[in-house]
Amino acid sequence: VPALATEPQFAQRLREHLEEERLLDGRYRLQDVPGGRVALPVLEEKLSQMRLPQEMPCGLVWIQDPIPSRAACRQTPAKKLRDELRRLLGESWSEELERDVPRAWQRHGDLVLLSEDSFRAALWEKLGPALWETVASALGAQRLARQGRVLPDGMRSPSVTLLLGEDGWVEHVDNGIRYTFDVTKCMFSLGNITEKLRVASLPCSGEVLVDLYAGIGYFTLPYLVHAGAAFAHACEWNGHAVEALRRNLALNGVQDRCRIHHGDSRQLELRDVADRVNLGLIPSSEEGWPVACRVLKRGTGGVLHIHHNVESRPTPTPVLRAERGSPGAAGSDGEAQHPTEDSGKETPGARIKSEWQRWAEATAARIRGLLAELHGQPWRTSVLHIEAVKSYAPHVHHLVLDLECRP
């Protein structure tokens, strides 16, 4: 490794100069060399550009056994990737190329899924197929794929390109549940983990579930594996997702407790079977509300879990707190709750924006009307809980409303 050797009293000033000129090789430590001097490792590809300050006497030496720096020892995969590409490209490396190198990605077993804005044409033109082999090696992967935009086909199909490897089938373990799917055909939303954990904790023993938008089993499986649901009807119209769902039910040993309905859930012929209905579609599951009302048990009703993206005004709005013992909404512990203005200490999980509450009440009224029209008699709807899953966009939140519906 090339280095500049100087007297100890000049080492700090020389280091500052090299860092400013982006000539210092941060992978290695400063080292003592014969003659009582200190050697600062420099980037070999930058030697031809090096202009040394005359006021600091120094000379070029070569270190045979450089000592890795502490930063290099704890080098992140992202930094390792950038350093390896910089080494390969030498003087061709530029800040523009560095902007194409991702800082984050999704990992599914031995496959790394890159973001759509990573590794655009310039790096490919310089390195060709070697680019993907280099990326995979630096990130410890065997296969690579790149995420594209979700296709507007009504199925939220991913636009994913396989860059390295023979197929896109991966396995992902989430809360003890095994999911397998083809990343080039199906999406896996890591951001929904909090809702999947919540679903897994619901008291569903002996219940029949209808999951109107089952996908690969994101929520169907937690209901069956952890929540104790006796049986599930899983509705899905994407054939690729259905194939993954079949595999996932078998992987988790619950295939005998689930029936898959492949097709448009709006045409579902089930009626009067469900204790609980999951409507996990965003930005809105509204088209599934009439179906959800039809499949609820006519004599006892049940609970709807309604997903929706709700927009909140960017201006400050009153903060509401769920107060126990009132006849309105209820929290996850099942106790009745009603939102009131909170001037005291905030409780995590208890803040409910006024827009969320208005949406929940409007949805409850709409479902109440659908049920009354369907059965020819009044039904009661009660807001049990409003769960904020994640921020979907600025001022837009993915919410889940737990709505109890009784005749």
Side-chain angles (χ1 to χ4, degrees), residues 57-73:
C58 56
L60 181 65
V61 298
W62 289 83
I63 303 174
Q64 298 301 319
D65 298 303
I67 302 172
S69 66
R70 289 190 179 92
C73 291

Side-chain angles (χ1 to χ4, degrees), residues 100-137:
D100 282 351
V101 182
R103 264 67 174 177
W105 47 82
Q106 291 182 28
R107 185 181 295 274
H108 299 287
D110 69 347
L111 184 145
V112 164
L113 181 60
L114 303 166
S115 60
E116 63 178 300
D117 59 349
S118 59
F119 298 118
R120 287 170 288 194
L123 275 168
W124 170 260
E125 290 172 358
K126 291 181 178 296
L127 292 175
L131 171 62
W132 306 133
E133 295 172 3
T134 301
V135 174
S137 176

Side-chain angles (χ1 to χ4, degrees), residues 349-367:
R351 288 170 56 104
I352 303 175
K353 292 182 180 292
S354 58
E355 290 91 340
W356 302 357
Q357 186 65 29
R358 284 196 294 271
W359 165 74
E361 291 171 353
T363 300
R366 174 77 184 283
I367 296 294

